[in-house]
PDB file of all heavy atoms in Angstrom:
ATOM      1  N   GLU A  13       9.992  11.367   8.227  1.00 96.00           N
ATOM      2  CA  GLU A  13       9.527   9.947   7.973  1.00 96.00           C
ATOM      3  C   GLU A  13       8.506   9.792   6.836  1.00 96.00           C
ATOM      4  O   GLU A  13       8.491   8.903   6.081  1.00 96.00           O
ATOM      5  CB  GLU A  13       9.024   9.303   9.237  1.00 96.00           C
ATOM      6  CG  GLU A  13      10.168   9.038  10.295  1.00 96.00           C
ATOM      7  CD  GLU A  13       9.693   8.336  11.559  1.00 96.00           C
ATOM      8  OE1 GLU A  13       8.454   8.228  11.752  1.00 96.00           O
ATOM      9  OE2 GLU A  13      10.482   7.955  12.258  1.00 96.00           O
ATOM     10  N   ASN A  14       7.631  10.797   6.771  1.00 96.00           N
ATOM     11  CA  ASN A  14       6.722  10.857   5.738  1.00 96.00           C
ATOM     12  C   ASN A  14       7.278  11.058   4.356  1.00 96.00           C
ATOM     13  O   ASN A  14       7.031  10.403   3.341  1.00 96.00           O
ATOM     14  CB  ASN A  14       5.601  11.944   5.978  1.00 96.00           C
ATOM     15  CG  ASN A  14       4.679  11.510   7.000  1.00 96.00           C
ATOM     16  OD1 ASN A  14       4.380  10.358   7.302  1.00 96.00           O
ATOM     17  ND2 ASN A  14       4.041  12.556   7.631  1.00 96.00           N
ATOM     18  N   TYR A  15       8.304  11.895   4.348  1.00 97.00           N
ATOM     19  CA  TYR A  15       9.095  11.997   2.998  1.00 97.00           C
ATOM     20  C   TYR A  15       9.800  10.790   2.688  1.00 97.00           C
ATOM     21  O   TYR A  15       9.923  10.248   1.553  1.00 97.00           O
ATOM     22  CB  TYR A  15      10.124  13.157   3.226  1.00 97.00           C
ATOM     23  CG  TYR A  15       9.539  14.485   2.777  1.00 97.00           C
ATOM     24  CD1 TYR A  15       8.867  15.273   3.762  1.00 97.00           C
ATOM     25  CD2 TYR A  15       9.629  15.004   1.475  1.00 97.00           C
ATOM     26  CE1 TYR A  15       8.348  16.690   3.321  1.00 97.00           C
ATOM     27  CE2 TYR A  15       9.190  16.269   1.174  1.00 97.00           C
ATOM     28  CZ  TYR A  15       8.476  16.943   2.025  1.00 97.00           C
ATOM     29  OH  TYR A  15       8.001  18.216   1.694  1.00 97.00           O
ATOM     30  N   LEU A  16      10.545  10.100   3.729  1.00 97.00           N
ATOM     31  CA  LEU A  16      11.219   8.867   3.464  1.00 97.00           C
ATOM     32  C   LEU A  16      10.246   7.805   2.989  1.00 97.00           C
ATOM     33  O   LEU A  16      10.609   7.130   2.042  1.00 97.00           O
ATOM     34  CB  LEU A  16      11.853   8.393   4.788  1.00 97.00           C
ATOM     35  CG  LEU A  16      12.597   7.129   4.765  1.00 97.00           C
ATOM     36  CD1 LEU A  16      13.822   7.098   3.813  1.00 97.00           C
ATOM     37  CD2 LEU A  16      13.115   6.699   6.209  1.00 97.00           C
ATOM     38  N   LYS A  17       9.082   7.617   3.568  1.00 97.00           N
ATOM     39  CA  LYS A  17       8.173   6.614   3.128  1.00 97.00           C
ATOM     40  C   LYS A  17       7.673   6.914   1.672  1.00 97.00           C
ATOM     41  O   LYS A  17       7.514   6.034   0.855  1.00 97.00           O
ATOM     42  CB  LYS A  17       6.979   6.685   4.074  1.00 97.00           C
ATOM     43  CG  LYS A  17       5.968   5.425   3.883  1.00 97.00           C
ATOM     44  CD  LYS A  17       4.941   5.406   4.885  1.00 97.00           C
ATOM     45  CE  LYS A  17       4.019   6.484   4.873  1.00 97.00           C
ATOM     46  NZ  LYS A  17       2.782   6.244   5.771  1.00 97.00           N
ATOM     47  N   ALA A  18       7.535   8.145   1.399  1.00 96.00           N
ATOM     48  CA  ALA A  18       7.070   8.518   0.016  1.00 96.00           C
ATOM     49  C   ALA A  18       8.131   8.145  -1.075  1.00 96.00           C
ATOM     50  O   ALA A  18       7.832   7.578  -2.108  1.00 96.00           O
ATOM     51  CB  ALA A  18       6.769  10.040  -0.037  1.00 96.00           C
ATOM     52  N   ILE A  19       9.391   8.424  -0.745  1.00 96.00           N
ATOM     53  CA  ILE A  19      10.513   8.059  -1.633  1.00 96.00           C
ATOM     54  C   ILE A  19      10.504   6.472  -1.776  1.00 96.00           C
ATOM     55  O   ILE A  19      10.583   5.917  -2.756  1.00 96.00           O
ATOM     56  CB  ILE A  19      11.848   8.563  -1.066  1.00 96.00           C
ATOM     57  CG1 ILE A  19      11.893  10.043  -1.065  1.00 96.00           C
ATOM     58  CG2 ILE A  19      12.951   8.028  -2.053  1.00 96.00           C
ATOM     59  CD1 ILE A  19      13.148  10.683  -0.402  1.00 96.00           C
ATOM     60  N   TYR A  20      10.236   5.801  -0.662  1.00 96.00           N
ATOM     61  CA  TYR A  20      10.322   4.305  -0.589  1.00 96.00           C
ATOM     62  C   TYR A  20       9.233   3.771  -1.588  1.00 96.00           C
ATOM     63  O   TYR A  20       9.468   2.923  -2.303  1.00 96.00           O
ATOM     64  CB  TYR A  20      10.053   3.831   0.832  1.00 96.00           C
ATOM     65  CG  TYR A  20      10.032   2.385   0.932  1.00 96.00           C
ATOM     66  CD1 TYR A  20      11.254   1.661   1.133  1.00 96.00           C
ATOM     67  CD2 TYR A  20       8.852   1.768   1.211  1.00 96.00           C
ATOM     68  CE1 TYR A  20      11.085   0.242   1.335  1.00 96.00           C
ATOM     69  CE2 TYR A  20       8.732   0.411   1.462  1.00 96.00           C
ATOM     70  CZ  TYR A  20       9.829  -0.367   1.461  1.00 96.00           C
ATOM     71  OH  TYR A  20       9.752  -1.727   1.758  1.00 96.00           O
ATOM     72  N   PHE A  21       8.015   4.375  -1.373  1.00 94.00           N
ATOM     73  CA  PHE A  21       6.885   3.889  -2.241  1.00 94.00           C
ATOM     74  C   PHE A  21       7.102   4.135  -3.816  1.00 94.00           C
ATOM     75  O   PHE A  21       6.762   3.299  -4.552  1.00 94.00           O
ATOM     76  CB  PHE A  21       5.514   4.427  -1.800  1.00 94.00           C
ATOM     77  CG  PHE A  21       5.018   3.836  -0.605  1.00 94.00           C
ATOM     78  CD1 PHE A  21       4.462   4.496   0.492  1.00 94.00           C
ATOM     79  CD2 PHE A  21       5.048   2.472  -0.348  1.00 94.00           C
ATOM     80  CE1 PHE A  21       3.979   3.993   1.673  1.00 94.00           C
ATOM     81  CE2 PHE A  21       4.453   1.824   0.736  1.00 94.00           C
ATOM     82  CZ  PHE A  21       4.026   2.544   1.771  1.00 94.00           C
ATOM     83  N   LEU A  22       7.634   5.303  -4.057  1.00 94.00           N
ATOM     84  CA  LEU A  22       7.972   5.613  -5.399  1.00 94.00           C
ATOM     85  C   LEU A  22       8.915   4.620  -5.991  1.00 94.00           C
ATOM     86  O   LEU A  22       8.857   4.109  -7.224  1.00 94.00           O
ATOM     87  CB  LEU A  22       8.489   7.072  -5.608  1.00 94.00           C
ATOM     88  CG  LEU A  22       7.426   8.180  -5.521  1.00 94.00           C
ATOM     89  CD1 LEU A  22       8.301   9.593  -5.392  1.00 94.00           C
ATOM     90  CD2 LEU A  22       6.532   8.218  -6.577  1.00 94.00           C
ATOM     91  N   ASP A  23      10.000   4.330  -5.222  1.00 92.00           N
ATOM     92  CA  ASP A  23      10.989   3.361  -5.566  1.00 92.00           C
ATOM     93  C   ASP A  23      10.382   1.960  -5.807  1.00 92.00           C
ATOM     94  O   ASP A  23      10.688   1.182  -6.724  1.00 92.00           O
ATOM     95  CB  ASP A  23      12.054   3.254  -4.577  1.00 92.00           C
ATOM     96  CG  ASP A  23      13.208   2.364  -4.904  1.00 92.00           C
ATOM     97  OD1 ASP A  23      13.847   2.660  -5.937  1.00 92.00           O
ATOM     98  OD2 ASP A  23      13.453   1.345  -4.221  1.00 92.00           O
ATOM     99  N   GLN A  24       9.391   1.576  -4.816  1.00 88.00           N
ATOM    100  CA  GLN A  24       8.855   0.231  -4.886  1.00 88.00           C
ATOM    101  C   GLN A  24       8.001   0.121  -6.178  1.00 88.00           C
ATOM    102  O   GLN A  24       7.816  -0.944  -6.685  1.00 88.00           O
ATOM    103  CB  GLN A  24       7.974  -0.018  -3.642  1.00 88.00           C
ATOM    104  CG  GLN A  24       8.758  -0.255  -2.356  1.00 88.00           C
ATOM    105  CD  GLN A  24       9.415  -1.562  -2.381  1.00 88.00           C
ATOM    106  OE1 GLN A  24       8.745  -2.533  -2.481  1.00 88.00           O
ATOM    107  NE2 GLN A  24      10.749  -1.624  -2.037  1.00 88.00           N
ATOM    108  N   ASN A  25       7.438   1.161  -6.582  1.00 84.00           N
ATOM    109  CA  ASN A  25       6.619   1.229  -7.872  1.00 84.00           C
ATOM    110  C   ASN A  25       7.410   1.417  -9.034  1.00 84.00           C
ATOM    111  O   ASN A  25       6.815   1.696 -10.189  1.00 84.00           O
ATOM    112  CB  ASN A  25       5.521   2.265  -7.688  1.00 84.00           C
ATOM    113  CG  ASN A  25       4.423   1.983  -6.624  1.00 84.00           C
ATOM    114  OD1 ASN A  25       4.163   0.819  -6.425  1.00 84.00           O
ATOM    115  ND2 ASN A  25       3.915   2.969  -6.027  1.00 84.00           N
ATOM    116  N   ASN A  26       8.790   1.210  -8.930  1.00 76.00           N
ATOM    117  CA  ASN A  26       9.599   1.381 -10.077  1.00 76.00           C
ATOM    118  C   ASN A  26       9.637   2.772 -10.764  1.00 76.00           C
ATOM    119  O   ASN A  26       9.753   2.873 -11.955  1.00 76.00           O
ATOM    120  CB  ASN A  26       9.384   0.297 -11.155  1.00 76.00           C
ATOM    121  CG  ASN A  26       9.630  -1.101 -10.592  1.00 76.00           C
ATOM    122  OD1 ASN A  26      10.661  -1.385  -9.869  1.00 76.00           O
ATOM    123  ND2 ASN A  26       8.729  -2.003 -10.837  1.00 76.00           N
ATOM    124  N   SER A  27       9.197   3.751  -9.953  1.00 78.00           N
ATOM    125  CA  SER A  27       9.146   5.048 -10.571  1.00 78.00           C
ATOM    126  C   SER A  27      10.433   5.781 -10.344  1.00 78.00           C
ATOM    127  O   SER A  27      11.129   5.576  -9.344  1.00 78.00           O
ATOM    128  CB  SER A  27       8.075   5.894  -9.873  1.00 78.00           C
ATOM    129  OG  SER A  27       6.759   5.390  -9.940  1.00 78.00           O
ATOM    130  N   GLU A  28      10.814   6.685 -11.276  1.00 87.00           N
ATOM    131  CA  GLU A  28      12.109   7.470 -11.123  1.00 87.00           C
ATOM    132  C   GLU A  28      11.801   8.564 -10.050  1.00 87.00           C
ATOM    133  O   GLU A  28      10.873   9.269 -10.191  1.00 87.00           O
ATOM    134  CB  GLU A  28      12.511   8.071 -12.437  1.00 87.00           C
ATOM    135  CG  GLU A  28      13.795   8.838 -12.374  1.00 87.00           C
ATOM    136  CD  GLU A  28      14.231   9.309 -13.756  1.00 87.00           C
ATOM    137  OE1 GLU A  28      13.667  10.411 -14.149  1.00 87.00           O
ATOM    138  OE2 GLU A  28      15.183   8.782 -14.383  1.00 87.00           O
ATOM    139  N   VAL A  29      12.523   8.515  -9.010  1.00 93.00           N
ATOM    140  CA  VAL A  29      12.287   9.417  -7.888  1.00 93.00           C
ATOM    141  C   VAL A  29      13.038  10.720  -8.130  1.00 93.00           C
ATOM    142  O   VAL A  29      14.223  10.910  -7.674  1.00 93.00           O
ATOM    143  CB  VAL A  29      12.764   8.746  -6.511  1.00 93.00           C
ATOM    144  CG1 VAL A  29      12.364   9.522  -5.388  1.00 93.00           C
ATOM    145  CG2 VAL A  29      12.297   7.374  -6.325  1.00 93.00           C
TER     146      VAL A  29
END
Side-chain angles (χ1 to χ4, degrees):
E13 289 184 347
N14 284 337
Y15 272 87
L16 176 63
K17 190 172 67 167
I19 297 170
Y20 179 79
F21 282 136
L22 286 170
D23 182 65
Q24 288 289 309
N25 291 327
N26 298 315
S27 300
E28 187 175 73
V29 188

